[in-house]
Amino acid sequence: MKRKILTYFIYVIVAATLATMMMMAVISSRMFETQVVESMRYEAEALRALIEAGGEARLDEIGSDVRVTIIDAQGDVRYDNEADPAKMESHAQRPEVIAALETGVGEDVRNSQTVSRNTFYYALRLSDGSVLRMAREASNIWSIYMRAAPLIALLLALLIGVCVFSASLLTERLIEPIEQMTAHLNNVSGVARYPELEPFMTMIQKQHEEILRSADMRVEFTANVSHELKTPLTSISGYAELIENGMACGEQVSRFAGEIRKSANRLLTLINDIIRLSQLDSPEQKLHTEPVNLAQVAQAVAEQLRMSAEKMQVSIRLDTRPVVISADRGMMEELIYNLCDNAIRYNVRGGSVCIDVHPARDRAIVCVQDTGIGISREHQEHIFERFYRVDKSRSKATGGTGLGLAIVKHIAAKHNATIAVDSELGRGTSISVSFERLTHA
């Protein structure tokens, strides 16, 4: 990156320096041309006054570095201070002569065939109808540049060198905060900053913190998975070993087999929940959205859990009104199922679960309320974490995996829904999920 920025700087500096030198040369040339024309105009005015006062004979008395020519109205040369007029061709078609005869003043720049020099021409019409023309070499400015070419090249090289050195320092200054931040991602408080870099540094720091947090969560999740899988596997292995060694007989074999089946079912449930969480975490997991009536989903879930609730001596009550959202139907069933399953598992004998579905302006609310054990305030912000259990002994007794509410959280996030928890220890829990309502359905 540093080399690329420095290379771009060098390209810009060299291009700008060369363009500046060329522009200066062009401006200098035009200024020189203007100066030459002005000088010739003043001299021509003075010579015209001299000629009209004393005749052409007075011209030989004046020494001048300017070529002076007098052309009659027919274009024939009457006088020239650098060539023999008799040997000179007609000047009737010369642009400056034509312009002077027509308007009184004419000028031109061209390569003179007579003296083989790039020359400025300036012409004035005299009172007798003839034309006074003056000529001066116009290539002097380029000759000066050619003679000064070595010095100009040296100055150009020095200028480019200074600019490249400055660009290198500037590049270092630009990159320095990024390099410092790279070396101190965990603590960027001492890193030199400038306003333009603030959004970038803030974004990088947030991403770094998210990566660290994600890594910590993965480590914790792996440890939790290992522990959770180990428990039922140990139980299965222990009971199987007792049966294998003949230490169980009669009714014990049947009881141990039942315990093995329970542990196996718990293991399968745990593995399914882990796989489901991995699927929800994956960016490739896509939503198959369609209009979903949450009231219908809630009724279907209530029927599925009716038998489970009866075993726990918990009643399920529905209070639903039709409300439609755009969602993945399978995920909505999963979300409401997990909320209700949790409400049943952590309830009390003779308790109840109320599933409330209703519209609220532009939102659709799903609220599952139970009369169970409740959650203390310090635990409420953690209940959606993976494997987090308020009452671990009760979770294992009821077969909970500690992943149900984590799945609920992921599904809600994928549907841009918000979750609210209202609970009091010993008096039950209410969990509400708010979705954007599909009003035109």
Side-chain angles (χ1 to χ4, degrees), residues 15-33 141-142 144-145 148 151-152 155-156 159:
T17 304
L18 291 175
T20 302
M21 295 293 290
M22 292 297 296
M23 190 176 297
M24 288 177 61
V26 171
I27 292 173
S28 299
S29 175
R30 290 184 177 177
M31 290 177 64
F32 176 76
E33 291 175 2
I141 185 65
W142 300 111
I144 292 171
Y145 272 109
L151 179 60
I152 293 173
L155 288 173
L156 184 61
L159 182 60

Side-chain angles (χ1 to χ4, degrees), residues 359-370:
R361 295 186 180 178
D362 59 341
R363 309 295 292 178
I365 310 298
V366 175
C367 179
V368 177
Q369 185 174 5
D370 63 62

Side-chain angles (χ1 to χ4, degrees), residues 10 34 88 121 129 136 177 196 227 262 337 384 415 434:
I10 291 172
T34 303
M88 296 174 68
Y121 292 95
R136 174 170 287 167
E196 293 79 5
H227 175 74
K262 288 180 182 178
Y337 184 95
F384 294 98
H415 289 82
S434 173

Side-chain angles (χ1 to χ4, degrees), residues 265-279 334 403 407:
N265 287 338
R266 172 168 159 69
L267 189 60
L268 286 172
T269 302
L270 184 61
I271 291 172
N272 287 333
D273 283 350
I274 292 171
I275 292 172
R276 185 57 181 144
L277 269 177
S278 298
Q279 291 173 342
E334 196 172 0
L403 296 175
I407 292 173

Side-chain angles (χ1 to χ4, degrees), residues 60-237:
D60 293 329
E61 301 174 6
I62 302 172
S64 176
D65 61 345
V66 179
R67 183 181 178 188
V68 180
T69 306
I70 296 179
I71 303 124
D72 62 22
Q74 286 72 41
D76 297 326
V77 178
R78 287 204 319 246
Y79 173 85
D80 192 286
N81 64 344
E82 292 186 3
D84 184 1
K87 297 180 180 179
M88 296 174 68
E89 62 184 10
S90 173
H91 283 41
Q93 299 304 314
R94 303 293 168 90
E96 71 278 4
V97 174
I98 295 173
L101 289 172
E102 291 179 356
T103 65
V105 179
E107 58 182 68
D108 192 26
V109 181
R110 65 178 181 276
N111 188 0
S112 173
Q113 297 299 325
T114 306
V115 294
S116 300
R117 289 185 297 189
N118 192 31
T119 310
F120 269 116
Y121 292 95
Y122 189 86
L124 285 176
R125 187 176 61 202
L126 302 176
S127 57
D128 62 357
S130 60
V131 175
L132 168 65
R133 190 188 71 171
M134 302 185 70
R136 174 170 287 167
E137 184 179 354
S139 60
N140 287 344
I141 185 65
W142 300 111
S143 299
I144 292 171
Y145 272 109
M146 290 303 296
R147 288 196 299 270
L151 179 60
I152 293 173
L154 178 61
L155 288 173
L156 184 61
L158 287 174
L159 182 60
I160 291 175
V162 171
C163 290
V164 168
F165 178 72
S166 301
S168 179
L169 289 179
L170 180 59
T171 303
E172 290 287 344
R173 291 285 302 276
L174 285 171
I175 300 300
E176 184 181 10
I178 299 176
E179 292 178 338
Q180 290 179 352
M181 185 179 63
T182 303
H184 306 89
L185 276 174
N186 292 327
N187 182 16
V188 296
S189 57
V191 176
R193 299 189 180 194
Y194 37 85
E196 293 79 5
L197 193 60
E198 283 288 344
F200 171 74
M201 294 183 71
T202 302
M203 180 187 69
I204 292 297
Q205 188 175 3
K206 285 183 178 178
Q207 288 182 347
H208 177 65
E209 291 173 354
E210 287 174 3
I211 290 171
L212 290 178
R213 193 180 303 114
S214 178
D216 291 341
M217 288 176 63
R218 280 193 173 90
V219 171
E220 184 181 359
F221 181 67
T222 302
N224 286 332
V225 167
S226 301
H227 175 74
E228 294 293 333
L229 292 175
K230 185 178 178 180
T231 302
L233 284 173
T234 301
S235 178
I236 291 170
S237 177

